[in-house]
Amino acid sequence: MPRTIDEGFRDFLTKLTPSSSETEAAKSHRASIEARLKRDFGLRRFVRIGSFGNGTSISGYSDVDYLASLARDTLTSDSTYSLGKVRGSLEDRFPNTGVRVSCPAVVVPFGNTKSETTEVVPADYVEEKGRHYVYDIADCKGGWMRASPDAHNSYVAKIHEELKGKVKPLIRFIKAWKCYRDVPISSFYLELRVAKYGSGESSIIYDMDVKRVLCQLRDCKLADMQDPMGISGYIPACKTDAFYKDALSKVETAASRAEKAREAAERQNIADAFYWWRLLYNDEFPTYYY
C-alpha cells in the first residue's frame, strides 16, 4: 500500500524521535558529573540544554548537553584555560571515557551510543534579563560570550505553541538532513533559523515548509543570524571557513532536491516525490510503499 506525503513525514517523525531507552541513557550519568563539578567548582546550577532539553533531538545522533554554572572564582579570564580545568576534573573522575574539549563544551563520551555522550558547557552567571538567566560561555577564541539557553528555549517554545505544535517537528526534519548528510552546520543556528522562519508563518505543512526553509538557507548563503532574543549577538552557521563551504554546497543540493520533491507532488507524482525526499535524506526517509 502506498503512503501519502503526509504519512511519509508522520512516519519519519516517529523514526527521528528518540526511544525511551535513549532518553533514559541521556539521563543516566547526570548525578555523577554534577557531584564532581560541585566538589571542584562550587556548582551553582546544572541544567539540561540543547536538543534533548528542547525536544528537537534526533534518534541515534543527538547527545545530551548541560549548562554548568560554576562559581566565578573557579573560572579565569581565559576561557580556554577554564575549559581545560573542567576537562581535567572530569577526566580524573572518568579516566576511561576519553574526555575532551569541543568548545564551548567539555565532552564525556560514555558508552557506545550517542545519547550517552554528555557535553558540559561551563558558564558564569551574569544577570537575569526578561526573567531568563544570562551567562558567559567560552567564545572559542579565549574569551567569553553571552548566552541564555532559557531565553532561546522560551523563544522556540512560544512559536511552537502558536503553530499548534509543528515547529519542533520542523526543526527535527531540518536537523535530520544535517545528521544524515553530515552537514557541518551548528544545530543551534538551525534551531533558531527554523523558529524565526516559523514566526512569520500562519501554519506549517511539512513538505512545503522543509523545502522553504532549505531554500531560505540557500538564498541567504548561510549568513550569520542575529539572535532574536538580543543576547548572543550574531550567530554563525559554521565554526570554520572550510565547514562553511562544505555546508553551503550541501544546502544548495538539498534545496534543489526539496524543490524537485514538491514539483513532483504538485504533479500528483507521489512516487517521484518520495524518490527525491529519500535522496535528500540519504535513503532514511520512508519508502513510498509500506
Side-chain angles (χ1 to χ4, degrees):
M1 179 182 294
R3 286 181 171 93
T4 65
I5 296 293
D6 287 345
E7 288 170 340
F9 275 91
R10 179 202 65 193
D11 295 346
F12 193 35
L13 183 60
T14 299
K15 177 179 181 176
L16 298 179
T17 304
S19 64
S20 58
S21 61
E22 283 182 277
T23 302
E24 287 305 310
K27 298 176 182 176
S28 62
H29 303 288
R30 173 174 179 150
S32 54
I33 293 176
E34 190 171 5
R36 184 65 178 209
L37 294 176
K38 190 174 292 185
R39 192 198 80 169
D40 289 356
F41 298 98
L43 184 68
R44 294 180 172 179
R45 187 185 185 210
F46 194 63
V47 60
R48 192 166 65 174
I49 59 173
S51 58
F52 260 105
N54 205 24
T56 58
S57 51
I58 303 298
S59 178
Y61 285 85
S62 295
D63 52 23
V64 61
D65 305 272
Y66 290 98
L67 180 137
S69 178
L70 307 180
R72 183 167 294 171
D73 60 8
T74 66
L75 299 168
T76 68
S77 60
D78 184 343
S79 63
T80 302
Y81 182 72
S82 293
L83 284 170
K85 284 178 63 179
V86 175
R87 182 200 62 78
S89 170
L90 294 178
E91 184 177 48
D92 184 62
R93 173 63 180 83
F94 310 106
N96 300 316
T97 59
V99 180
R100 68 183 188 278
V101 171
S102 179
C103 188
V106 176
V107 182
V108 189
F110 295 109
N112 298 314
T113 62
K114 192 68 172 174
S115 58
E116 286 188 275
T117 295
T118 302
E119 295 198 6
V120 178
V121 180
D124 176 30
Y125 171 77
V126 176
E127 63 179 343
E128 188 171 341
K129 183 177 180 180
R131 294 180 297 176
H132 302 298
Y133 295 130
V134 178
Y135 300 90
D136 274 341
I137 65 171
D139 68 356
C140 306
K141 300 175 185 176
W144 299 87
M145 64 181 182
R146 294 290 158 90
S148 179
D150 295 331
H152 294 127
N153 286 355
S154 177
Y155 173 75
V156 173
K158 179 176 181 292
I159 299 168
H160 178 67
E161 183 178 353
E162 289 171 350
L163 288 169
K164 301 180 179 179
K166 290 194 169 184
V167 166
K168 290 184 180 182
L170 182 59
I171 291 170
R172 272 197 164 116
F173 293 137
I174 299 300
K175 284 187 176 181
W177 160 71
K178 161 190 159 68
C179 294
Y180 292 141
R181 284 297 182 182
D182 194 24
V183 186
I185 298 179
S186 157
S187 289
F188 179 52
Y189 177 89
L190 289 178
E191 190 140 332
L192 290 185
R193 272 285 183 199
V194 176
K196 183 67 187 301
Y197 166 84
S199 70
E201 299 297 310
S202 58
S203 63
I204 296 292
I205 300 172
Y206 292 132
D207 67 321
M208 293 175 62
D209 291 292
V210 168
K211 187 265 294 187
R212 288 174 179 167
V213 169
L214 290 170
C215 289
Q216 188 180 85
L217 291 171
R218 175 196 64 195
D219 295 344
C220 79
K221 297 187 182 299
L222 299 177
D224 291 357
M225 179 184 178
Q226 188 169 16
D227 179 6
M229 299 302 288
I231 292 170
S232 300
Y234 282 88
I235 300 162
C238 306
K239 283 187 175 183
T240 68
D241 288 342
F243 284 172
Y244 171 77
K245 290 176 183 176
D246 184 25
L248 187 58
S249 173
K250 287 176 176 176
V251 79
E252 288 169 351
T253 299
S256 175
R257 289 170 176 171
E259 286 175 326
K260 288 181 170 64
R262 279 294 305 149
E263 289 165 4
E266 288 169 1
R267 295 193 307 269
Q268 297 302 309
N269 189 342
I270 306 305
D272 201 31
F274 269 82
Y275 166 81
W276 287 109
W277 286 123
R278 284 180 56 76
L279 191 59
L280 189 152
Y281 286 110
N282 201 21
D283 289 336
E284 296 290 345
F285 194 80
T287 56
Y288 177 46
Y289 288 102
Y290 282 95

